[in-house]
Amino acid sequence: MPLSKILLFSLLTAIVTILPLILRGPAGTFYTIDPDVQYLSNSFSFIEKGLIQYDVHPGTPTIILHSWAMMPLRIYAKLVARTPFITWVMFNANAAYFYVRIFQALWLGISMGIFLMAIYKLNKSILGLTVAWLSMFCLTVFPYFGSTIVPETTSFFLAAVWLWFFARSYKASSFPSCFLLSAIAGLAVANKFSNLTLVPMSTLLVWFVPKVKAKQKLLNSGLTLFVSAATFLLATW
């Protein structure tokens, strides 16, 4: 696998998407506030009270991910600034949001790396890697996933992970691999409902498992749907 090329494309993804904000600095952090403020405010609420107030999308995995990502800031507030984290955020909102936007760019770069590994696993082509990378930037909204605080960045990560596991198992499909893909699909739907298509795609793969009777495939189709639903409920509880 051309790991160096994948790493290069991943790094370029992070740099290209965050560079405009880096050039502006923390003063340009609030170039967009919707839905950035809603999502990150929920991360603050989750850190402080373990509660998520805004549950429209629902975006729970993204909200919890950002609460974990802010651990270095929380440590700094406690040990250096010696102030409660939420109080520190109130006086340093630009820094907190700037930090999470940089995290989003790095997260998008990691996601791109996984996506490209899956693409190479499927076609074994260096040209395919390049085309796949460039094609993502043909989506005009894609570069914003690296600087805005939105669930789509995590959705891309989960879709890339789903595709990577699919690429590893599609030639020798098995029920365990289908259940794993269904769990990833359920988690993706918990992140945003627009990922719902991953659920039927995971279920359909059951019918490509070789040397298994139709009755067993039908039963396992129901089980994959149950896995997706259970994962969704656990991820949004």
Side-chain angles (χ1 to χ4, degrees):
M1 180 177 293
L3 186 58
S4 60
K5 196 173 186 69
I6 290 174
L7 289 174
L8 175 62
F9 282 147
S10 299
L11 183 61
L12 284 175
T13 299
I15 292 174
V16 167
T17 56
I18 201 62
L19 186 59
L21 184 62
I22 294 292
L23 294 176
R24 290 288 304 275
T29 297
F30 289 100
Y31 72 95
T32 176
I33 59 173
D34 183 19
D36 307 58
V37 171
Q38 290 92 328
Y39 277 104
L40 202 54
S41 294
N42 269 277
S43 296
F44 297 144
S45 175
F46 186 76
I47 290 169
E48 186 72 8
K49 300 179 180 179
L51 297 175
I52 294 176
Q53 309 292 340
Y54 177 74
D55 57 359
V56 176
H57 288 159
T60 311
T62 291
I63 292 167
I64 294 176
L65 173 67
H66 289 158
S67 72
W68 291 344
M70 285 187 284
M71 185 60 69
L73 296 183
R74 295 163 66 182
I75 294 172
Y76 173 84
K78 182 176 182 178
L79 299 181
V80 180
R82 296 188 179 277
T83 184
F85 177 65
I86 300 303
T87 302
W88 182 87
V89 168
M90 294 298 293
F91 287 96
N92 300 274
N94 279 15
Y97 277 79
F98 188 74
Y99 171 89
V100 175
R101 292 189 193 281
I102 291 176
F103 170 81
Q104 285 285 85
L106 296 174
W107 190 234
L108 187 66
I110 293 170
S111 304
M112 179 62 78
I114 298 172
F115 171 70
L116 294 179
M117 284 193 291
I119 294 297
Y120 186 78
K121 187 76 175 176
L122 288 169
N123 61 27
K124 304 293 185 182
S125 169
I126 300 294
L127 178 61
L129 281 182
T130 306
V131 171
W133 182 70
L134 291 173
S135 67
M136 295 307 299
F137 286 89
C138 291
L139 303 172
T140 55
V141 72
F142 181 79
Y144 293 97
F145 295 167
S147 61
T148 53
I149 303 171
V150 291
E152 282 81 2
T153 315
T154 300
S155 288
F156 180 54
F157 171 81
L158 292 170
V161 170
W162 188 96
L163 185 63
W164 186 78
F165 277 109
F166 169 77
R168 286 177 58 88
S169 61
Y170 80 101
K171 288 185 178 179
S173 296
S174 64
F175 290 134
S177 65
C178 293
F179 294 147
L180 176 60
L181 291 172
S182 295
I184 297 170
L187 184 59
V189 175
N191 190 61
K192 196 161 187 182
F193 289 132
S194 55
N195 299 315
L196 188 61
T197 52
L198 289 177
V199 175
M201 288 169 63
S202 303
T203 300
L204 285 173
L205 290 175
V206 169
W207 294 89
F208 293 92
V209 177
K211 300 178 182 180
V212 178
K213 293 182 179 179
K215 183 178 180 180
Q216 186 63 40
K217 290 181 178 180
L218 185 62
L219 174 62
N220 282 285
S221 294
L223 288 175
T224 58
L225 290 174
F226 173 79
V227 168
S228 292
T231 306
F232 170 83
L233 289 174
L234 287 172
T236 56
W237 192 256

